[in-house]
Amino acid sequence: MKRFSGLNLLAQAFDGHRGWPEHWPDKAPKAAYDVIIIGAGGHGLGAAYYLATKYGISNVAVIEKGWLGGGNAGRNTTIIRSNYLYDESAHLYDHAVKLWDGLSQELNYNVMYSKRGVLMLAHNVHDVQSFKRHIHANRLNGVDNEWLTPDQCKAYCPPLDIAANARHPVLGGALQRRGGTARHDSVAWGYARGAVARGVDIIQNCAVTGIRRGPDGAVLGVETERGFIGATKIGVSAAGSTSLVMKMAGLDFPLESYPLQALVSEPVKPIFPCVVMSNTVHAYISQSDKGELVIGAGTDQYVSYSQRGALHIIEHTLAAICEIFPIFTRMRMLRTWGGIVDVTPDRSPILAKTPVPGLYVNCGWGTGGFKATPGAADLLAHTIAHDAPHAINAPFNLDRFRNGRLIDEAAAAAVAH
Amino acid sequence: MILIHCPYCEQDRPEIEFTYGGQAHIARPHDPAALTDREWETYLYIRANPRGLHAERWRHIHGCARFFNAVRDTVTDRFTVTYKTGEARPDGGVA
């Protein structure tokens, strides 16, 4: 890996930038690895990176049925925050936010983490009470979150309409200043480049078709479109396809996969200084560094693997955006797309060992997995390396659906999050 | 937008008239007190989530308001059949 630095950039400039090596050369799979990660999104590539850097396990393959970062890593709205209600969730997501800090330096790759603040709008009395409860719970957990009056919201985000007779009146907002956005592709690329530099193989366009297990039930490796690849430890980080992979190992999972849509507008000059989320009317919006308004819509109501959603979901979101930000009523939308998100019954992830020896899983991030990328990757690597969960991800096990110790962020937020 | 055939109204109507009711043919336990934790988990939380044909409940909430069942391909979102509550899955598939 040739490091990016001012000096290297200058040196390469004299040679027309032809001297940069490939970030992740195409590799034919070896017969066996110490660890196989299924899914080359940010979570999976990051897990391979941390296995190599923190635990010295670099004989690792990341296997991907499509292309690197082409699933939900490339389909999200890049929002980062950690203002979750329950202690377990606050610790989990804040672990990720702490890793976002300094990630560009660690990877020597600009992930463009921008702490522009995430403002969650309250439109009714229930929102006000719920958000204030979140703020107090967050402060007890050392997570920054503060209450803004409507005027303070307007000062923080000038395009906002706070008129008392608005269709969706703004009664205040909860602001997490450390929250913000990052460049989603860069996260996958940066982890991939860092992992490959330490000996990890990334094998794209190679769908896993089966998981081979020995007489004792432990994993022996994966069957793929390019033949059998051996490994005694397999980490699954396959988002919407996780339950399909788990069925290959004989496990039924408490997951359902839904389409989640997002869209971007034509690019305009800087107008929108932060991230605004309105759970009640279901509108999430920020502005990318390219100038596009990045808008998150809701999930479709039915299980699907189609990677596209219905137009009325987008219409609903844009109707809310136009009411809250009348300035945007004449913006034109350029692109819409959908990703398939795996949703658990309590809307909290599963990051754990499975009943199959040697099989580990990182799934169930639902509609909010991007923000957790570095944290989930780090904790999956820890769980695989130690064959035991870290204290932070120990509560996010599979047993909770049997013993009832749910981490019910679904009830806490009352909406998808 | 998906068009859905309501087997009671016998009409193809747009999806916004309907609400989704999750996986179909999940029987409530006859004797809940006798269930083990594992059986409760399966009943409450474990779902088929197939890539392909899926039997599911829909409700024509802005029409006749009745529940019915449907078989839909989760890759194409195309419905193969809708049928009334209480009827067996017509294509003989499971989950």
Side-chain angles (χ1 to χ4, degrees):
Chain A
M1 179 177 98
K2 193 185 279 283
R3 286 184 64 81
F4 293 125
S5 66
L7 202 62
N8 271 340
L9 274 175
L10 194 65
Q12 288 293 328
F14 287 108
D15 191 31
H17 290 285
R18 282 176 299 225
W20 297 106
E22 258 188 297
H23 282 184
W24 45 88
D26 206 23
K27 286 279 176 65
K30 290 194 277 189
Y33 293 88
D34 293 341
V35 177
I36 286 175
I37 306 285
I38 300 174
H43 287 224
L45 293 165
Y49 173 84
Y50 289 119
L51 278 171
T53 54
K54 289 179 80 167
Y55 304 105
I57 304 170
S58 56
N59 187 21
V60 176
V62 184
I63 301 179
E64 166 62 46
K65 77 172 170 186
W67 65 94
L68 187 160
N72 294 350
R75 293 166 190 267
N76 58 76
T77 50
T78 77
I79 296 171
I80 295 167
R81 62 184 179 89
S82 60
N83 51 355
Y84 283 75
L85 178 65
Y86 293 116
D87 295 351
E88 297 89 343
S89 311
H91 294 148
L92 179 70
Y93 289 98
D94 214 48
H95 179 61
V97 169
K98 285 172 186 154
L99 285 172
W100 278 111
D101 248 337
L103 189 61
S104 293
Q105 285 74 23
E106 165 155 8
L107 295 177
N108 182 233
Y109 205 96
N110 190 359
V111 301
M112 299 162 81
Y113 173 35
S114 158
K115 288 186 240 186
R116 58 186 68 181
V118 173
L119 177 62
M120 300 175 84
L121 297 178
H123 297 294
N124 54 46
V125 173
H126 171 79
D127 282 352
V128 173
Q129 293 169 343
S130 168
F131 287 0
K132 286 188 173 174
R133 183 182 172 208
H134 274 71
I135 287 169
H136 296 312
N138 288 158
R139 288 168 66 131
L140 288 174
N141 279 318
V143 176
D144 74 301
N145 199 358
E146 62 191 271
W147 179 253
L148 300 190
T149 63
D151 287 328
Q152 287 171 318
C153 290
K154 176 79 177 169
Y156 197 76
C157 183
L160 192 60
D161 179 14
I162 59 165
N165 63 351
R167 171 73 181 83
H168 305 300
V170 174
L171 303 187
L175 173 66
Q176 184 175 25
R177 292 184 189 271
R178 284 190 307 152
T181 61
R183 172 94 170 95
H184 52 354
D185 293 323
S186 284
V187 182
W189 297 339
Y191 274 130
R193 173 170 170 265
V196 166
R198 289 161 180 84
V200 172
D201 284 357
I202 297 171
I203 300 156
Q204 302 178 66
N205 297 308
C206 179
V208 169
T209 54
I211 292 177
R212 192 183 290 182
R213 296 167 64 187
D216 60 346
V219 298
L220 296 176
V222 295
E223 312 282 354
T224 75
E225 291 175 330
R226 291 159 77 171
F228 175 77
I229 307 172
T232 51
K233 288 186 171 184
I234 300 172
V236 179
S237 202
S241 298
T242 301
S243 59
L244 304 174
V245 177
M246 285 302 158
K247 278 206 176 66
M248 296 174 191
L251 296 176
D252 290 320
F253 254 56
L255 289 174
E256 288 197 297
S257 300
Y258 296 92
L260 175 67
Q261 293 186 85
L263 60 158
V264 294
S265 73
E266 59 191 340
V268 290
K269 288 190 175 179
I271 173 75
F272 206 76
C274 58
V275 179
V276 171
M277 303 178 61
S278 174
N279 289 346
T280 304
V281 295
H282 225 288
Y284 313 117
I285 180 166
S286 62
Q287 188 174 21
S288 74
D289 292 350
K290 280 190 288 184
E292 304 153 324
L293 296 180
V294 181
I295 296 169
T299 54
D300 280 279
Q301 49 180 344
Y302 45 81
V303 167
S304 177
Y305 291 84
S306 62
Q307 288 194 320
R308 65 181 178 204
L311 189 64
H312 65 89
I313 303 284
I314 288 174
E315 189 183 5
H316 178 75
T317 292
L318 288 179
I321 295 278
C322 289
E323 290 288 350
I324 302 170
F325 308 102
I327 192 175
F328 293 144
T329 48
R330 282 176 294 156
M331 288 288 283
R332 284 169 294 192
M333 295 299 139
L334 272 191
R335 293 181 287 122
T336 78
W337 63 90
I340 301 303
V341 297
D342 45 328
V343 176
T344 59
D346 62 359
R347 300 297 191 278
S348 286
I350 302 167
L351 217 176
K353 296 172 67 170
T354 70
V356 174
L359 187 64
Y360 308 85
V361 69
N362 167 43
C363 69
W365 291 94
T367 57
F370 175 74
K371 65 174 81 70
T373 302
D378 180 46
L379 295 167
L380 178 60
H382 178 104
T383 306
I384 292 173
H386 293 94
D387 191 35
H390 188 279
I392 294 174
N393 66 309
F396 295 89
N397 53 39
L398 270 169
D399 296 338
R400 72 180 194 265
F401 302 103
R402 191 165 304 174
N403 63 27
R405 283 193 64 86
L406 301 179
I407 303 161
D408 204 350
E409 289 292 339
V415 291
H417 56 95
Chain B
M1 187 180 298
I2 296 174
L3 288 179
I4 302 175
H5 182 82
C6 173
Y8 294 102
C9 302
E10 297 183 342
Q11 286 184 48
D12 293 333
R13 305 295 298 171
E15 184 203 329
I16 49 172
E17 290 189 12
F18 298 83
T19 50
Y20 179 71
Q23 186 179 328
H25 306 301
I26 297 175
R28 268 186 89 81
H30 286 295
D31 183 6
L35 257 54
T36 64
D37 287 353
R38 186 189 175 84
E39 287 165 335
W40 267 120
E41 179 194 23
T42 303
Y43 167 65
L44 288 175
Y45 299 131
I46 304 295
R47 293 295 177 263
N49 200 29
R51 187 181 168 89
L53 295 179
H54 185 230
E56 57 200 20
R57 300 191 308 163
W58 285 83
R59 188 178 182 200
H60 195 184
I61 185 84
H62 298 300
C64 62
R66 299 181 76 170
F67 278 95
F68 61 92
N69 292 328
V71 176
R72 182 179 53 90
D73 188 324
T74 61
V75 179
T76 61
D77 291 338
R78 197 177 294 278
F79 284 81
T80 52
V81 64
T82 60
Y83 51 103
K84 293 175 180 171
T85 301
E87 294 177 3
R89 180 170 166 173
D91 65 350
V94 290

